[in-house]
Amino acid sequence: EEKSILIQAIRDVRDVIYAAVREQLADDSRTYQQIADSTGCSSSTVQRLAQMDGITRPVGPKPKSSNSEVPNGNE
């Protein structure tokens, strides 16, 4: 019985973490890695949960900001 109590406690903690991941997935501006870092789980876990919920993110780096001026040291 002690083992089943511990298993249930672990499941409860997992459910809380997964709920936090799903909540943050609603914010399109956050990357999977940012969500993983803030929730303490792996980015593959974030990807798996997103896939289960039908959420996708574009592959590759985030688009650059609308400010097209990039300082290069030559003025």
Side-chain angles (χ1 to χ4, degrees):
E1 190 173 311
E2 281 183 38
K3 190 173 182 180
S4 65
I5 292 171
L6 181 58
I7 290 171
Q8 187 57 47
I10 291 170
R11 286 181 182 147
D12 291 345
V13 170
R14 181 196 61 198
D15 291 345
V16 168
I17 293 170
Y18 284 9
V21 168
R22 286 184 164 109
E23 183 178 323
Q24 292 184 38
L25 280 168
D27 182 357
D28 289 342
S29 68
R30 306 212 53 203
T31 65
Y32 290 156
Q33 188 60 54
Q34 290 170 332
I35 294 169
D37 291 343
S38 71
T39 57
C41 62
S42 69
S43 61
S44 61
T45 297
V46 175
Q47 285 178 308
R48 184 170 37 87
L49 291 171
Q51 185 178 20
M52 289 169 52
D53 291 351
I55 298 171
T56 59
R57 295 277 197 279
V59 177
K62 291 172 60 174
K64 294 185 179 188
S65 68
S66 61
N67 183 0
S68 61
E69 293 184 36
V70 178
N72 62 8
N74 297 328
E75 294 190 34

Coordinates of all heavy atoms in Angstrom, one line a residue:
E1 N 0.8 -1.2 0.0 CA 0.0 0.0 0.0 C 0.9 1.2 0.0 O 0.5 2.2 -0.7 CB -1.0 0.0 1.2 CG -2.0 1.1 1.1 CD -3.0 1.0 2.2 OE1 -3.6 -0.1 2.4 OE2 -3.3 2.0 2.8
E2 N 2.0 1.2 0.7 CA 2.9 2.4 0.7 C 3.4 2.7 -0.7 O 3.5 3.9 -1.1 CB 4.1 2.2 1.6 CG 3.8 2.3 3.1 CD 5.1 2.2 3.9 OE1 6.2 2.6 3.4 OE2 5.0 1.6 5.0
K3 N 3.7 1.7 -1.5 CA 4.1 1.9 -2.8 C 3.1 2.5 -3.7 O 3.4 3.4 -4.5 CB 4.5 0.5 -3.4 CG 5.3 0.6 -4.7 CD 5.8 -0.8 -5.2 CE 6.5 -0.7 -6.5 NZ 7.0 -2.0 -6.9
S4 N 1.8 2.1 -3.6 CA 0.8 2.7 -4.4 C 0.5 4.2 -4.0 O 0.2 5.0 -4.8 CB -0.5 1.9 -4.3 OG -1.0 1.9 -2.9
I5 N 0.7 4.5 -2.7 CA 0.6 5.9 -2.3 C 1.7 6.8 -2.9 O 1.4 7.9 -3.4 CB 0.6 6.0 -0.7 CG1 -0.6 5.4 -0.1 CG2 0.7 7.5 -0.3 CD1 -0.6 5.3 1.4
L6 N 2.9 6.2 -2.9 CA 4.0 7.0 -3.6 C 3.8 7.1 -5.1 O 4.0 8.2 -5.6 CB 5.3 6.2 -3.3 CG 6.6 6.8 -3.8 CD1 6.8 8.2 -3.3 CD2 7.8 6.0 -3.5
I7 N 3.3 6.1 -5.7 CA 3.1 6.1 -7.2 C 2.0 7.2 -7.5 O 2.1 8.0 -8.4 CB 2.7 4.7 -7.7 CG1 3.9 3.8 -7.7 CG2 2.1 4.8 -9.1 CD1 3.5 2.3 -8.0
Q8 N 1.0 7.2 -6.7 CA -0.1 8.2 -6.9 C 0.4 9.6 -6.6 O 0.1 10.6 -7.4 CB -1.3 7.9 -6.0 CG -2.5 8.9 -6.3 CD -2.9 8.8 -7.7 OE1 -3.1 7.7 -8.3 NE2 -3.1 9.9 -8.4
A9 N 1.3 9.8 -5.7 CA 1.9 11.1 -5.4 C 2.7 11.6 -6.6 O 2.7 12.7 -7.0 CB 2.7 11.1 -4.1
I10 N 3.5 10.6 -7.2 CA 4.3 11.0 -8.3 C 3.4 11.3 -9.5 O 3.7 12.3 -10.2 CB 5.2 9.8 -8.7 CG1 6.3 9.6 -7.6 CG2 5.9 10.0 -10.1 CD1 7.1 8.3 -7.7
R11 N 2.3 10.6 -9.7 CA 1.4 10.9 -10.8 C 0.8 12.3 -10.6 O 0.6 13.1 -11.5 CB 0.3 9.9 -10.9 CG 0.8 8.6 -11.5 CD -0.3 7.6 -11.5 NE 0.2 6.3 -12.1 CZ -0.3 5.1 -11.7 NH1 -1.2 5.0 -10.9 NH2 0.3 4.0 -12.3
D12 N 0.5 12.6 -9.4 CA -0.1 14.0 -9.1 C 0.9 15.1 -9.4 O 0.5 16.1 -10.0 CB -0.5 14.1 -7.6 CG -1.7 13.2 -7.3 OD1 -2.4 12.7 -8.2 OD2 -1.9 12.9 -6.0
V13 N 2.1 14.9 -9.1 CA 3.2 15.9 -9.4 C 3.3 16.0 -10.9 O 3.4 17.1 -11.4 CB 4.5 15.5 -8.7 CG1 5.6 16.4 -9.2 CG2 4.4 15.6 -7.2
R14 N 3.4 14.9 -11.6 CA 3.5 14.9 -13.0 C 2.3 15.6 -13.7 O 2.5 16.4 -14.6 CB 3.5 13.4 -13.6 CG 3.6 13.4 -15.1 CD 3.3 12.0 -15.6 NE 1.9 11.7 -15.3 CZ 1.4 10.5 -15.3 NH1 2.1 9.5 -15.6 NH2 0.1 10.3 -15.1
D15 N 1.1 15.4 -13.2 CA -0.1 16.1 -13.7 C 0.0 17.6 -13.5 O -0.4 18.3 -14.4 CB -1.4 15.5 -13.0 CG -1.7 14.1 -13.5 OD1 -1.1 13.6 -14.5 OD2 -2.5 13.4 -12.8
V16 N 0.5 18.0 -12.4 CA 0.7 19.5 -12.1 C 1.7 20.0 -13.1 O 1.5 21.1 -13.7 CB 1.1 19.7 -10.7 CG1 1.6 21.1 -10.5 CG2 0.0 19.4 -9.7
I17 N 2.8 19.3 -13.3 CA 3.8 19.8 -14.3 C 3.2 19.9 -15.7 O 3.4 20.8 -16.4 CB 5.1 18.9 -14.2 CG1 5.8 19.1 -12.9 CG2 6.0 19.3 -15.4 CD1 6.9 18.1 -12.6
Y18 N 2.5 18.8 -16.1 CA 1.9 18.7 -17.4 C 0.9 19.9 -17.6 O 0.8 20.4 -18.7 CB 1.3 17.4 -17.7 CG 2.3 16.3 -18.0 CD1 3.7 16.4 -17.8 CD2 1.9 15.0 -18.4 CE1 4.6 15.4 -18.1 CE2 2.7 14.0 -18.6 CZ 4.1 14.2 -18.5 OH 5.0 13.2 -18.8
A19 N 0.1 20.2 -16.6 CA -0.8 21.3 -16.7 C -0.1 22.6 -16.9 O -0.6 23.4 -17.7 CB -1.7 21.3 -15.4
A20 N 1.0 22.8 -16.2 CA 1.8 24.0 -16.4 C 2.3 24.1 -17.8 O 2.3 25.2 -18.4 CB 2.9 24.1 -15.4
V21 N 2.8 23.0 -18.3 CA 3.3 23.0 -19.7 C 2.2 23.3 -20.7 O 2.4 24.2 -21.6 CB 3.9 21.6 -20.1 CG1 4.2 21.5 -21.6 CG2 5.2 21.3 -19.3
R22 N 1.1 22.7 -20.5 CA -0.1 23.0 -21.4 C -0.5 24.4 -21.3 O -0.9 25.0 -22.4 CB -1.2 22.0 -21.1 CG -0.9 20.6 -21.6 CD -2.1 19.7 -21.4 NE -1.9 18.5 -22.2 CZ -1.7 17.3 -21.7 NH1 -1.6 17.1 -20.4 NH2 -1.5 16.2 -22.5
E23 N -0.5 25.0 -20.2 CA -0.9 26.4 -20.0 C 0.1 27.3 -20.8 O -0.3 28.2 -21.4 CB -0.9 26.8 -18.5 CG -1.3 28.2 -18.2 CD -1.4 28.5 -16.8 OE1 -1.7 27.6 -16.0 OE2 -1.0 29.6 -16.4
Q24 N 1.4 27.0 -20.7 CA 2.4 27.8 -21.3 C 2.4 27.6 -22.8 O 2.8 28.5 -23.6 CB 3.8 27.6 -20.7 CG 3.9 28.1 -19.3 CD 5.3 27.9 -18.7 OE1 6.3 28.1 -19.4 NE2 5.3 27.6 -17.5
L25 N 2.0 26.4 -23.3 CA 1.9 26.2 -24.7 C 0.9 27.1 -25.4 O 1.0 27.3 -26.6 CB 1.5 24.7 -25.0 CG 2.7 23.7 -24.9 CD1 2.1 22.3 -24.9 CD2 3.7 23.9 -26.0
A26 N 0.0 27.6 -24.7 CA -1.0 28.5 -25.2 C -0.4 29.8 -25.7 O -1.0 30.5 -26.5 CB -2.1 28.8 -24.2
D27 N 0.8 30.2 -25.2 CA 1.5 31.4 -25.5 C 2.4 31.0 -26.7 O 3.4 30.4 -26.6 CB 2.3 31.9 -24.4 CG 3.1 33.1 -24.7 OD1 3.0 33.6 -25.8 OD2 3.8 33.6 -23.7
D28 N 2.0 31.5 -27.9 CA 2.7 31.2 -29.2 C 4.1 31.8 -29.2 O 5.0 31.3 -30.0 CB 2.0 31.7 -30.4 CG 0.7 30.9 -30.7 OD1 0.6 29.7 -30.1 OD2 -0.2 31.4 -31.4
S29 N 4.4 32.7 -28.4 CA 5.7 33.4 -28.4 C 6.8 32.6 -27.7 O 8.0 32.9 -27.9 CB 5.6 34.8 -27.9 OG 5.4 34.8 -26.5
R30 N 6.4 31.6 -26.9 CA 7.4 30.8 -26.1 C 7.8 29.6 -26.9 O 7.0 28.9 -27.5 CB 6.7 30.4 -24.8 CG 6.2 31.6 -24.1 CD 6.3 31.5 -22.6 NE 7.6 31.2 -22.2 CZ 7.8 30.6 -21.0 NH1 6.8 30.4 -20.2 NH2 9.0 30.4 -20.6
T31 N 9.1 29.3 -26.9 CA 9.6 28.1 -27.6 C 9.4 26.9 -26.6 O 9.3 27.0 -25.4 CB 11.1 28.3 -27.9 OG1 11.8 28.4 -26.7 CG2 11.3 29.5 -28.8
Y32 N 9.5 25.7 -27.2 CA 9.5 24.5 -26.4 C 10.6 24.5 -25.4 O 10.4 24.1 -24.2 CB 9.6 23.3 -27.3 CG 8.4 23.0 -28.2 CD1 8.6 22.2 -29.4 CD2 7.1 23.4 -27.9 CE1 7.5 22.0 -30.2 CE2 6.1 23.2 -28.7 CZ 6.2 22.4 -29.8 OH 5.2 22.1 -30.7
Q33 N 11.8 25.0 -25.8 CA 12.9 25.0 -24.8 C 12.6 25.9 -23.7 O 12.9 25.6 -22.5 CB 14.2 25.3 -25.5 CG 15.4 25.1 -24.6 CD 15.6 23.7 -24.1 OE1 15.6 22.8 -24.9 NE2 15.7 23.5 -22.8
Q34 N 12.1 27.1 -23.9 CA 11.7 28.0 -22.9 C 10.7 27.4 -21.9 O 10.8 27.6 -20.7 CB 11.2 29.3 -23.5 CG 12.2 30.2 -24.2 CD 11.6 31.3 -25.0 OE1 10.5 31.3 -25.4 NE2 12.4 32.4 -25.2
I35 N 9.7 26.8 -22.5 CA 8.7 26.1 -21.6 C 9.3 25.0 -20.8 O 9.1 24.9 -19.6 CB 7.5 25.6 -22.5 CG1 6.8 26.8 -23.1 CG2 6.6 24.8 -21.7 CD1 5.8 26.4 -24.2
A36 N 10.2 24.2 -21.4 CA 10.9 23.2 -20.7 C 11.7 23.7 -19.5 O 11.7 23.2 -18.4 CB 11.7 22.3 -21.7
D37 N 12.5 24.8 -19.8 CA 13.3 25.4 -18.8 C 12.5 25.9 -17.6 O 12.9 25.7 -16.5 CB 14.2 26.5 -19.4 CG 15.2 26.0 -20.3 OD1 15.5 24.8 -20.3 OD2 15.7 26.8 -21.1
S38 N 11.3 26.5 -17.9 CA 10.5 27.1 -16.8 C 9.8 26.1 -16.0 O 9.4 26.3 -14.9 CB 9.6 28.2 -17.4 OG 8.6 27.6 -18.1
T39 N 9.5 24.9 -16.6 CA 8.7 23.9 -15.9 C 9.6 22.7 -15.3 O 9.1 21.9 -14.6 CB 7.6 23.3 -16.8 OG1 8.3 22.7 -18.0 CG2 6.6 24.3 -17.2
G40 N 10.8 22.7 -15.7 CA 11.7 21.7 -15.2 C 11.6 20.3 -15.9 O 12.0 19.3 -15.3
C41 N 11.1 20.3 -17.1 CA 11.0 19.0 -17.8 C 11.8 19.2 -19.1 O 12.3 20.3 -19.4 CB 9.5 18.6 -18.1 SG 8.6 19.8 -19.1
S42 N 11.9 18.1 -19.9 CA 12.7 18.2 -21.1 C 11.9 18.8 -22.2 O 10.6 18.8 -22.2 CB 13.1 16.8 -21.5 OG 12.0 16.0 -21.9
S43 N 12.6 19.3 -23.2 CA 11.9 19.8 -24.4 C 11.2 18.7 -25.2 O 10.1 19.0 -25.8 CB 12.9 20.6 -25.3 OG 13.9 19.7 -25.8
S44 N 11.7 17.5 -25.1 CA 11.0 16.4 -25.8 C 9.6 16.1 -25.1 O 8.6 15.8 -25.8 CB 11.8 15.2 -25.9 OG 12.2 14.7 -24.6
T45 N 9.6 16.3 -23.8 CA 8.3 16.2 -23.1 C 7.3 17.3 -23.5 O 6.1 17.0 -23.8 CB 8.5 16.2 -21.6 OG1 9.3 15.1 -21.2 CG2 7.2 16.1 -20.8
V46 N 7.8 18.5 -23.6 CA 7.0 19.6 -24.1 C 6.5 19.3 -25.5 O 5.3 19.5 -25.8 CB 7.7 20.9 -24.0 CG1 6.9 22.0 -24.6 CG2 8.1 21.3 -22.6
Q47 N 7.3 18.8 -26.4 CA 6.9 18.5 -27.7 C 5.9 17.4 -27.8 O 4.9 17.5 -28.5 CB 8.1 18.0 -28.6 CG 9.1 19.2 -29.0 CD 10.2 18.7 -29.7 OE1 11.0 17.8 -29.3 NE2 10.5 19.3 -30.9
R48 N 6.1 16.4 -26.9 CA 5.1 15.3 -26.9 C 3.8 15.7 -26.4 O 2.7 15.4 -27.0 CB 5.7 14.2 -26.0 CG 4.8 12.9 -25.9 CD 5.5 11.8 -25.2 NE 6.2 12.1 -24.0 CZ 5.8 12.3 -22.8 NH1 4.5 12.1 -22.6 NH2 6.5 12.6 -21.8
L49 N 3.7 16.6 -25.4 CA 2.4 17.1 -24.9 C 1.8 18.0 -26.0 O 0.6 17.9 -26.1 CB 2.6 17.9 -23.6 CG 3.0 17.0 -22.4 CD1 3.4 17.9 -21.2 CD2 1.9 16.1 -22.0
A50 N 2.6 18.8 -26.6 CA 2.0 19.7 -27.7 C 1.4 18.8 -28.8 O 0.4 19.1 -29.3 CB 3.1 20.6 -28.2
Q51 N 2.2 17.8 -29.2 CA 1.7 16.9 -30.2 C 0.4 16.2 -29.8 O -0.6 16.1 -30.6 CB 2.7 15.8 -30.6 CG 2.4 15.0 -31.7 CD 3.5 14.0 -32.1 OE1 4.3 13.7 -31.3 NE2 3.4 13.5 -33.3
M52 N 0.3 15.8 -28.6 CA -0.9 15.1 -28.1 C -2.1 16.1 -28.1 O -3.2 15.7 -28.3 CB -0.7 14.6 -26.6 CG 0.2 13.4 -26.5 SD 0.7 13.0 -24.9 CE -0.8 12.9 -24.0
D53 N -1.8 17.4 -27.9 CA -2.9 18.4 -27.9 C -3.1 19.1 -29.3 O -3.9 20.0 -29.4 CB -2.6 19.5 -26.9 CG -2.7 18.9 -25.5 OD1 -3.1 17.8 -25.3 OD2 -2.3 19.7 -24.5
G54 N -2.3 18.6 -30.3 CA -2.5 19.2 -31.7 C -1.9 20.5 -31.8 O -2.3 21.3 -32.7
I55 N -0.9 20.9 -31.0 CA -0.3 22.2 -31.1 C 1.0 22.1 -31.8 O 1.8 21.1 -31.6 CB 0.0 22.7 -29.6 CG1 -1.3 22.9 -28.9 CG2 0.8 24.0 -29.7 CD1 -1.1 23.2 -27.4
T56 N 1.3 23.0 -32.7 CA 2.5 23.0 -33.5 C 3.2 24.3 -33.4 O 2.6 25.3 -33.2 CB 2.3 22.7 -35.0 OG1 1.4 23.7 -35.5 CG2 1.6 21.3 -35.2
R57 N 4.5 24.3 -33.6 CA 5.3 25.5 -33.6 C 6.1 25.4 -34.9 O 6.5 24.3 -35.4 CB 6.3 25.6 -32.5 CG 5.7 25.7 -31.1 CD 5.4 27.2 -30.8 NE 5.2 27.5 -29.4 CZ 4.0 27.2 -28.8 NH1 3.0 26.7 -29.4 NH2 3.9 27.6 -27.5
P58 N 6.5 26.6 -35.6 CA 7.3 26.5 -36.7 C 8.7 26.0 -36.4 O 9.2 26.2 -35.3 CB 7.4 28.0 -37.2 CG 6.5 28.7 -36.4 CD 6.0 27.9 -35.2
V59 N 9.3 25.2 -37.3 CA 10.6 24.7 -37.1 C 11.6 25.7 -37.4 O 11.5 26.5 -38.3 CB 10.8 23.4 -38.0 CG1 12.2 22.9 -37.8 CG2 9.8 22.4 -37.7
G60 N 12.7 25.7 -36.6 CA 13.8 26.6 -36.8 C 13.8 27.8 -35.9 O 13.0 27.9 -34.9
P61 N 14.7 28.7 -36.1 CA 14.8 29.9 -35.2 C 13.6 30.8 -35.2 O 12.9 30.8 -36.3 CB 16.0 30.6 -35.6 CG 16.3 30.2 -37.0 CD 15.7 28.8 -37.1
K62 N 13.3 31.5 -34.2 CA 12.2 32.4 -34.1 C 12.5 33.6 -35.1 O 13.7 33.9 -35.3 CB 12.1 33.0 -32.7 CG 11.6 32.0 -31.7 CD 11.6 32.5 -30.3 CE 10.7 33.7 -30.1 NZ 10.6 34.1 -28.8
P63 N 11.5 34.1 -35.7 CA 11.7 35.2 -36.7 C 12.3 36.4 -35.9 O 12.1 36.6 -34.8 CB 10.3 35.6 -37.1 CG 9.4 34.5 -36.7 CD 10.1 33.8 -35.6
K64 N 13.2 37.2 -36.7 CA 13.8 38.3 -36.1 C 12.8 39.4 -35.9 O 11.7 39.4 -36.5 CB 14.9 38.8 -37.0 CG 16.1 37.9 -37.1 CD 17.2 38.4 -37.8 CE 18.3 37.3 -37.9 NZ 19.5 37.8 -38.4
S65 N 13.1 40.3 -35.0 CA 12.1 41.4 -34.7 C 12.0 42.3 -35.9 O 12.8 42.2 -36.9 CB 12.6 42.3 -33.5 OG 13.8 43.0 -33.9
S66 N 11.0 43.1 -35.9 CA 10.7 44.0 -37.1 C 11.7 45.1 -37.3 O 11.8 45.7 -38.4 CB 9.3 44.6 -36.9 OG 9.3 45.4 -35.8
N67 N 12.6 45.3 -36.4 CA 13.7 46.3 -36.5 C 14.7 45.7 -37.4 O 15.5 44.8 -37.0 CB 14.2 46.6 -35.1 CG 15.3 47.7 -35.2 OD1 15.6 48.2 -36.3 ND2 15.8 48.1 -34.0
S68 N 14.8 46.2 -38.6 CA 15.7 45.6 -39.6 C 17.1 46.2 -39.5 O 18.1 45.7 -40.2 CB 15.2 45.8 -41.0 OG 15.1 47.2 -41.3
E69 N 17.3 47.2 -38.7 CA 18.7 47.8 -38.6 C 19.5 46.9 -37.6 O 19.1 46.6 -36.5 CB 18.6 49.2 -38.0 CG 18.0 50.2 -38.9 CD 18.0 51.6 -38.3 OE1 19.0 51.9 -37.7 OE2 17.0 52.3 -38.6
V70 N 20.6 46.5 -38.1 CA 21.5 45.7 -37.3 C 22.9 46.4 -37.3 O 23.5 46.6 -38.3 CB 21.7 44.2 -37.9 CG1 22.7 43.4 -37.1 CG2 20.4 43.5 -38.1
P71 N 23.3 46.7 -36.1 CA 24.6 47.5 -36.0 C 25.7 46.5 -36.4 O 25.8 45.4 -36.0 CB 24.7 47.8 -34.5 CG 23.7 47.0 -33.8 CD 22.7 46.6 -34.8
N72 N 26.6 47.1 -37.3 CA 27.7 46.3 -37.7 C 29.1 46.9 -37.4 O 30.1 46.5 -37.8 CB 27.6 45.9 -39.2 CG 27.6 47.2 -40.1 OD1 27.9 48.3 -39.6 ND2 27.4 47.0 -41.3
G73 N 29.0 48.0 -36.8 CA 30.2 48.7 -36.4 C 30.7 49.7 -37.4 O 31.6 50.5 -37.2
N74 N 30.1 49.7 -38.6 CA 30.4 50.7 -39.7 C 29.4 51.8 -39.7 O 28.3 51.5 -40.0 CB 30.6 50.0 -41.0 CG 31.7 49.0 -41.1 OD1 32.7 49.1 -40.4 ND2 31.5 47.9 -41.8
E75 N 29.8 53.0 -39.4 CA 28.8 54.1 -39.5 C 29.2 55.1 -40.5 O 30.3 55.4 -40.8 CB 28.6 54.7 -38.1 CG 28.0 53.7 -37.2 CD 27.6 54.3 -35.9 OE1 27.2 55.5 -35.8 OE2 27.7 53.6 -34.9

